[in-house]
Amino acid sequence: MNQAMTVHDAIFGRCSVRAFQSSPLERSTLQALLAAAVRAPTAMHSEPWQFVIVEEVALLKRLSEQARLSFVAETARLHPGRAGLEMFSRPGFDIFYDAPCLVVICAKVDTPFAAADCWLAAQNLMLQAHAMGLGTCVIGSAVTGLNAPATKLELDIPAETVAIAPVIVGRPRGETPRSARSEPHVLAWR
Ligand SMILES: Cc1cc2nc3c(=O)[nH]c(=O)nc-3n(C[C@H](O)[C@H](O)[C@H](O)COP(=O)(O)O)c2cc1C
């Protein structure tokens, strides 16, 4: 665990991790991640974020399967004929990549910037996790499934609250190469 990693090293070293050891995370580790998440900037100091943490393996599997089916159905409806969904169409494909933990950052979206605040919190959580030797990945494909009324009920997410940023966390299994980025596209610099 290297919590003294520089911000530069955390930003440039982080990458999405999709292969995990099965060992659960310590409670103190998760608390450190949540503490970092809530240090994010927050519009009007509203701190809209609320967290659901799922570690039960059977529940993770069930949520994955529900979310996978919702994602396939929604994508087929919104983008008929879209390529690249083969993986998601495979029964049993775990959209959480068998991670031992899913953190769902939620908010009541009754202010214009609640979702922005949650995404900033997600980035804080992911950088902190990276600095602690953990791997993370945003699972946007789970958002629709997590917001299904029955799932919200099961996860104690109130009706007026929305699941915004699902992030899986765990100890990485193997090395993940960093993905490339284009140079910054500056539209104007006057
Ligand atoms: C809003 C959002 C949704 C994402 N959803 C998924 C997802 O459902 N499944 C997945 O494997 N990766 C997902 N990712 C991770 C991206 O694929 C990843 O960030 C991108 O390929 C860049 O790679 P890097 O994070 O390693 O730099 C998502 C990322 C973001 C920001």
Side-chain angles (χ1 to χ4, degrees), residues 80-105:
R82 183 169 185 157
L85 277 179
E86 299 74 21
M87 189 167 72
F88 288 93
S89 303
R90 200 170 352 112
F93 167 67
D94 190 326
I95 70 167
F96 302 129
Y97 303 102
D98 296 307
C101 183
L102 168 69
V103 178
V104 189
I105 308 181

Side-chain angles (χ1 to χ4, degrees), residues 4-58:
M5 183 181 282
T6 66
V7 173
H8 177 277
D9 287 350
I11 290 172
F12 285 84
R14 183 216 59 85
C15 59
S16 293
V17 170
R18 299 183 178 87
F20 297 93
Q21 300 173 32
S22 58
S23 51
L25 300 175
E26 293 76 23
R27 202 176 179 84
S28 59
T29 300
L30 283 164
Q31 277 163 341
L33 299 184
L34 298 182
V38 302
R39 289 306 312 172
T42 172
M44 309 286 288
H45 211 114
S46 56
E47 302 184 65
W49 36 63
Q50 296 171 321
F51 301 89
V52 170
I53 294 147
V54 185
E55 299 182 279
E56 292 170 25
V57 175

Side-chain angles (χ1 to χ4, degrees), residues 68-85:
R68 183 185 72 76
L69 292 170
S70 301
F71 181 69
V72 169
E74 189 195 37
T75 309
R77 185 171 58 81
L78 295 177
H79 313 282
R82 183 169 185 157
L85 277 179

